[in-house]
């Protein structure tokens, strides 16, 4: 039986978006003012929300995520 597909948003669902912004240097955040989500590798700096990793793993057991 084929697993159903589930799409999961990342920012403020799996990771704390603000934590990525806080980790960036002021020069980068001012360069990308108004379009912060375009900063290269921004998601790599974000911290996972409490329980998010375990919840995602549980979803992956039943769904194609």
């Amino acid at each position: 039986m084929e697993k159903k597909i589930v799409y999961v948003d990342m920012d403020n669902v799996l990771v704390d978006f603000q934590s990525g912004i806080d980790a960036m240097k002021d020069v980068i955040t001012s360069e990308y003012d108004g379009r912060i989500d375009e900063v290269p590798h921004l998601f790599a700096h974000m911290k996972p929300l409490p329980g998010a990793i375990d919840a995602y793993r549980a979803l992956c057991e039943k769904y194609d995520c």
Side-chain angles (χ1 to χ4, degrees):
M1 185 171 118
E2 191 172 320
K3 290 183 179 181
K4 291 185 179 183
I5 298 172
V6 172
Y7 296 95
V8 181
D9 189 25
M10 287 183 61
D11 52 321
N12 295 324
V13 174
L14 294 178
V15 296
D16 177 9
F17 192 82
Q18 187 62 47
S19 69
I21 295 170
D22 293 344
M24 305 304 293
K25 296 183 183 217
D26 291 336
V27 174
I28 293 173
T29 55
S30 64
E31 179 182 341
Y32 287 89
D33 188 34
R35 52 191 184 92
I36 200 75
D37 56 330
E38 296 178 15
V39 173
H41 311 291
L42 179 63
F43 280 92
H45 299 280
M46 295 180 189
K47 296 179 181 176
L49 290 170
I53 293 173
D54 291 335
Y56 184 78
R57 286 181 180 148
L59 281 172
C60 290
E61 289 177 13
K62 295 187 177 193
Y63 301 97
D64 181 5
C65 296

